[in-house]
């Protein structure tokens, strides 16, 4: 029994990582963007260590850079920073602009929680 558990442990751990890795927060930014710099100063250094950062690791994209093929957006990005919540590379929500740290965290939490509820409902787990 313990041998089976030991054999299954890596699969369980890696399985949990891949389930969490399908959600990312894409930060669209550009050079000399003062609001991008404000976000970097106020939040960028701690983001990865927060619950939100673990749920949706940060991925950066230059507004004028070449966009990767693995991202599907619902619409064009007009402002920087724009934060786009991606699930399996597809946009499920966004925050346009940086409203300051006191507004950013609740807006992001609402976005993450809404998309989690949407996932549970689509799987038949919600009410």
């Amino acid at each position: 029994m313990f041998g089976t558990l030991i054999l299954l442990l890596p699969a369980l751990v890696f399985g949990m990582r891949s389930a969490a890795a399908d959600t990312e927060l894409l930060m669209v930014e550009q050079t000399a963007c003062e609001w991008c710099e404000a976000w970097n100063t106020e939040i960028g250094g701690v983001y990865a260590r927060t619950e939100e950062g673990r749920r949706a690791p940060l991925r950066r994209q230059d507004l004028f850079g070449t966009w990767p093929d693995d991202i599907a957006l619902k619409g064009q990005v007009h402002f920087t920073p724009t934060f786009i919540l991606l699930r399996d590379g597809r946009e499920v929500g966004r925050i346009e602009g940086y409203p300051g740290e006191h507004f950013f965290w609740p807006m992001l939490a609402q976005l993450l929680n809404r998309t989690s509820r949407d996932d549970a409902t689509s799987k038949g787990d919600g009410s």
Side-chain angles (χ1 to χ4, degrees):
M1 179 171 151
F2 289 114
T4 304
L5 251 174
I6 291 171
L7 289 174
L8 289 176
L9 188 58
L12 291 172
V13 170
F14 290 116
M16 287 189 294
R17 282 187 185 159
S18 65
D22 66 346
T23 301
E24 296 176 297
L25 183 65
L26 180 69
M27 178 182 178
V28 182
E29 57 191 335
Q30 64 178 308
T31 304
C33 167
E34 68 180 88
W35 293 107
C36 300
E37 283 303 315
W39 187 91
N40 286 325
T41 299
E42 297 173 5
I43 294 178
V46 299
Y47 181 79
R49 296 188 303 263
T50 65
E51 178 186 345
E52 294 85 353
R54 288 186 290 278
R55 288 176 65 188
L58 185 66
R59 179 176 178 180
R60 294 176 182 264
Q61 173 63 44
D62 185 275
L63 178 64
F64 301 108
T66 302
W67 286 71
D69 293 333
D70 66 335
I71 295 175
L73 301 181
K74 291 182 178 179
Q76 195 171 12
V77 177
H78 298 284
F79 307 101
T80 58
T82 294
F83 301 91
I84 302 172
L85 190 63
L86 300 172
R87 178 80 35 87
D88 293 324
R90 296 183 173 276
E91 178 179 344
V92 293
R94 70 171 63 188
I95 300 169
E96 293 184 322
Y98 175 58
E101 65 181 313
H102 298 293
F103 292 100
F104 177 80
W105 291 115
M107 291 172 75
L108 179 58
Q110 181 180 30
L111 193 60
L112 286 165
N113 292 335
R114 187 183 78 220
T115 58
S116 293
R117 281 194 311 272
D118 292 348
D119 281 351
T121 303
S122 69
K123 292 177 184 174
D125 297 337
S127 50

